[in-house]
Amino acid sequence: AAESHVDRSIYKADAFVRTGVIGVQVLLDISRKAGVPRFIQISTDEVYGSIREGVFTEESPLNPSSPYSASKAAGDLLALSYHKTFGTPVIITRSSNNYGPFQYPEKLIPLFITNCFEGRTLPLYGDGTNVREWIHVLDNCRAIELVLEKGVPGEVYNISSGKELSNSEIARVIVRTIKVQESFITPVTDRLGHDFRYAMDCAKIAGLGFSPRIDLEKGLEETIRWYREHPEWWKPLK
């Protein structure tokens, strides 16, 4: 779906444009010629930008802050243009932050988990008050499958659990669960263009019958256990 790490997009944006924009165009053209019955564009809550209070709906304006989110927003608009121009059966999902097994260890949760196992510090951007909604990857997959089956072409569906935590709260949950000292959490220089908060209204996909099944606390415990039991997967990546 995309090059997926915001940090890398800040320092080298070209791969994100090639994949998130040109890649979408290539797939749309091929899908249109092949007559595929559904084209699901996997997007992100980051296309809306930051919101201090309230929530974004699917009708909220796009206001991306990073080259990553800008490339995703461009891909979304391109996909919708194919629906309007050619009738391509495009549906867009915009998911909040995912977590769970097999997530690349550059991402916040697996980075913090594996750093704890290795006795390394947990680099926390700024003051750690940035807020994200978190959804387990299996819940996100269930939502995407539901949209694939029941979604309306030309529509956008927000996907989230509605569970908000600051980055510092996530870090504290991880160190408490793994039983290391909170002094492992180390503030570092904030990321450029770092959005403060994401939050989405998910009533639309709830109307299709979706509700998340995996509680965040239980999901984090299971995720920590998975990384503990599979160092052969993540150690070579780090």
Side-chain angles (χ1 to χ4, degrees):
E3 301 287 340
S4 66
H5 195 45
V6 175
D7 287 16
R8 286 191 289 106
S9 81
I10 292 171
Y11 300 106
K12 192 171 176 58
D14 55 342
F16 290 76
V17 174
R18 284 197 302 271
T19 304
V21 185
I22 298 173
V24 172
Q25 172 255 310
V26 169
L27 290 173
L28 284 165
D29 283 342
I30 292 171
S31 299
R32 185 167 65 89
K33 291 175 183 177
V36 298
R38 279 285 197 273
F39 185 104
I40 309 298
Q41 162 77 352
I42 306 294
S43 191
T44 169
D45 56 0
E46 296 192 36
V47 298
Y48 297 121
S50 187
I51 187 169
R52 284 277 172 174
E53 296 179 350
V55 292
F56 291 117
T57 71
E58 288 85 353
E59 286 73 41
S60 296
L62 305 187
N63 187 28
S65 300
S66 69
Y68 161 70
S69 55
S71 70
K72 293 301 294 181
D76 288 3
L77 294 175
L78 191 62
L80 290 174
S81 78
Y82 270 61
H83 174 71
K84 292 178 181 177
T85 303
F86 305 111
T88 306
V90 165
I91 306 172
I92 295 173
T93 64
R94 292 182 179 145
S95 303
S96 63
N97 281 35
N98 277 221
Y99 72 97
F102 292 104
Q103 189 171 30
Y104 201 83
E106 68 185 359
K107 296 304 184 74
L108 185 142
I109 286 178
L111 175 67
F112 283 7
I113 291 171
T114 57
N115 275 16
C116 283
F117 292 156
E118 295 180 312
R120 301 187 187 187
T121 58
L122 280 57
L124 186 66
Y125 281 135
D127 60 7
T129 58
N130 301 73
V131 176
R132 298 292 181 265
E133 289 184 310
W134 295 91
I135 187 168
H136 194 280
V137 61
L138 294 181
D139 277 332
N140 189 34
C141 289
R142 278 189 281 267
I144 292 168
E145 184 177 32
L146 182 65
V147 168
L148 181 66
E149 295 172 351
K150 297 183 178 180
V152 177
E155 295 293 322
V156 178
Y157 295 88
N158 292 337
I159 301 173
S160 183
S161 66
K163 182 66 174 180
E164 295 183 37
L165 282 179
S166 70
N167 290 344
S168 61
E169 287 173 323
I170 284 283
R172 288 197 296 271
V173 170
I174 290 171
V175 298
R176 284 199 305 267
T177 304
I178 298 177
K179 295 182 171 57
V180 300
Q181 296 180 352
E182 284 200 10
S183 59
F184 272 54
I185 303 170
T186 304
V188 297
T189 302
D190 204 358
R191 182 170 73 198
L192 296 174
H194 197 182
D195 287 330
F196 177 71
R197 175 177 175 264
Y198 303 137
M200 294 189 295
D201 183 311
C202 296
K204 191 171 180 179
I205 195 166
L208 297 183
F210 174 74
S211 61
R213 299 177 186 173
I214 301 173
D215 173 76
L216 179 58
E217 186 172 335
K218 181 181 178 182
L220 278 174
E221 289 177 359
E222 292 176 350
T223 300
I224 290 168
R225 187 180 309 118
W226 188 90
Y227 281 92
R228 188 190 302 278
E229 295 173 353
H230 295 86
E232 77 287 349
W233 184 82
W234 56 264
K235 280 193 173 183
L237 298 177
K238 292 191 77 173

